Amino acid sequence: NSTLKYIIEQTIVVDQSGSHFWSIQAAIDAVPKDNLRWVCIEIRRGIYREQIRIPREKPYIFLKGESRLKTVIAWDGHDSIQSATFISEANDTRAKGLTFLNSYNYGPSRNQIYPAVAAKIDGDRVAFYNCRFLGLQDTLWDVRGRHYFHRCTIEGAVDFIFGSGQSIYEGCTISVNVDAIGPGYVGYITAQGRSYPYESNGFVFKNCNIDGKGKVYLGRPWGIYSRVIFYKTLMSDVVVPQGWDSWRSQGQEYKLMFSEIDCRGMGANTTGRVGWVNKHSSKNLQPFIDLSYIDKEGWL
Ligand SMILES: *[C@@H]1O[C@H](CO)[C@@H](O)[C@H](O)[C@H]1NC(C)=O
Ligand SMILES: *[C@@H]1O[C@H](CO)[C@@H](O)[C@H](O)[C@H]1NC(C)=O
């Protein structure tokens, strides 16, 4: 288990029964600014209906739920992609065993569909273990910085993993729920935002599992140098044969880096893929597949 090899120097308990902090934000507020020691915020079971934010000046916070089914943070912000349930701006943040839910278009909701972000992850050196990110459109905004997602579930229908993060998703479940939008619609898993050739960001999915209801593209470019790699990933037939959509990059597809290597399952059949998709060897992609893509100095 690669989780948390550092020393927790302080633990703050959040518990809805009221004998400790009863809100997660109150616990975050209690961490001093420019904190330099790991603080564990232990969140006991319950549904916490609050929007939470870890500000830039509060690094070294570890949010630890009881388990991802028992500890749920839910909010329904949908004014803009800024109004996420969880906003993480600090460097060096960890979370484990939690669910981040944007409930606006989730479940039996009949609201008109809007971008409704469950988590907005800014900041460098941020890792999630056994977490769930639930929403429909724009569920997980992987804004920027180096991020690691291990055994997480990300659910949605439209651009539900998006942004310019430099991230590895390892052993994660991509849960497609396009049926919630309606018949005939085809969704998009990723909308990666790399905009310039010198940018190092990109999304790498390793040993993941794509499944669910409805049909999706693996991605469409949110930046003209968008980079997304699926490696050793199991894809059910929710993935459409074309695989990728060029969106606003028509005629400039050669700038994109969309790759699939050693994937399997009904959706991984590349016979019907768009002609412009990259055919890289796993050797060429090794620098991205390796954990050193996000961690050269050993922060994980
Ligand atoms: C966060 O990390 C980045 C890159 O490692 C650094 O440039 C930035 O100054 C850090 N931010 C803060 C608030 O320390
Ligand atoms: C892949 O798809 C093509 C065309 O749709 C089909 O002819 C072929 O049998 C499929 N291959 C596998 C291994 O299913």
Side-chain angles (χ1 to χ4, degrees), residues 168 204 206 229 231 257 261-262 280-293:
I168 292 182
V204 178
K206 276 170 81 166
I229 297 166
Y231 173 69
M257 184 172 175
I261 309 156
D262 299 343
H280 290 103
S281 68
S282 49
K283 189 162 168 270
N284 286 341
L285 291 178
Q286 203 55 46
F288 301 101
I289 292 162
D290 199 275
L291 211 52
S292 64
Y293 175 51

Side-chain angles (χ1 to χ4, degrees), residues 19-54:
S19 51
H20 305 271
F21 281 101
W22 55 271
S23 103
I24 301 165
Q25 189 63 48
I28 294 168
D29 292 348
V31 175
K33 279 187 182 177
D34 304 316
N35 166 55
L36 288 175
R37 295 171 176 185
W38 282 99
V39 177
C40 177
I41 298 181
E42 214 177 280
I43 310 163
R44 301 271 161 83
R45 68 181 63 195
I47 298 175
Y48 293 81
R49 294 186 199 283
E50 52 177 319
Q51 183 176 38
I52 69 173
R53 177 171 163 265
I54 300 180

Side-chain angles (χ1 to χ4, degrees), residues 64-124:
K64 186 167 179 264
E66 216 171 294
S67 80
R68 62 186 189 173
L69 295 180
K70 290 178 181 155
T71 303
V72 177
I73 305 170
W75 192 250
D76 61 355
H78 57 276
D79 299 335
S80 81
I81 54 175
Q82 306 294 337
S83 51
T85 303
F86 174 49
I87 299 169
S88 172
E89 298 172 342
N91 290 340
D92 300 294
T93 302
R94 303 285 184 277
K96 185 180 180 187
L98 292 164
T99 291
F100 302 99
L101 163 67
N102 190 312
S103 57
Y104 188 68
N105 289 127
Y106 196 76
S109 148
R110 295 196 185 275
N111 294 324
Q112 193 187 337
I113 292 162
Y114 282 116
V117 178
K120 175 188 174 199
I121 316 302
D122 210 331
D124 197 25

Side-chain angles (χ1 to χ4, degrees), residues 241 265-266 268-272:
M266 295 278 284
N269 183 346
T270 55
T271 312

Side-chain angles (χ1 to χ4, degrees), residues 75-176:
W75 192 250
D76 61 355
H78 57 276
D79 299 335
S80 81
I81 54 175
Q82 306 294 337
S83 51
T85 303
F86 174 49
I87 299 169
S88 172
E89 298 172 342
N91 290 340
D92 300 294
T93 302
R94 303 285 184 277
K96 185 180 180 187
L98 292 164
T99 291
F100 302 99
L101 163 67
N102 190 312
S103 57
Y104 188 68
N105 289 127
Y106 196 76
S109 148
R110 295 196 185 275
N111 294 324
Q112 193 187 337
I113 292 162
Y114 282 116
V117 178
K120 175 188 174 199
I121 316 302
D122 210 331
D124 197 25
R125 299 181 298 271
V126 179
F128 294 88
Y129 304 88
N130 287 299
C131 289
R132 293 193 303 171
F133 301 88
L134 308 179
L136 196 68
Q137 180 168 348
D138 296 350
T139 307
L140 175 55
W141 187 6
D142 187 345
V143 185
R144 62 172 172 179
R146 296 168 299 167
H147 307 152
Y148 182 60
F149 298 86
H150 189 247
R151 295 191 182 214
C152 293
T153 293
I154 305 108
E155 182 174 320
V158 183
D159 303 336
F160 61 97
I161 306 175
F162 72 109
S164 308
Q166 180 168 333
S167 299
I168 292 182
Y169 294 80
E170 186 162 17
C172 292
T173 298
I174 313 294
S175 180
V176 172

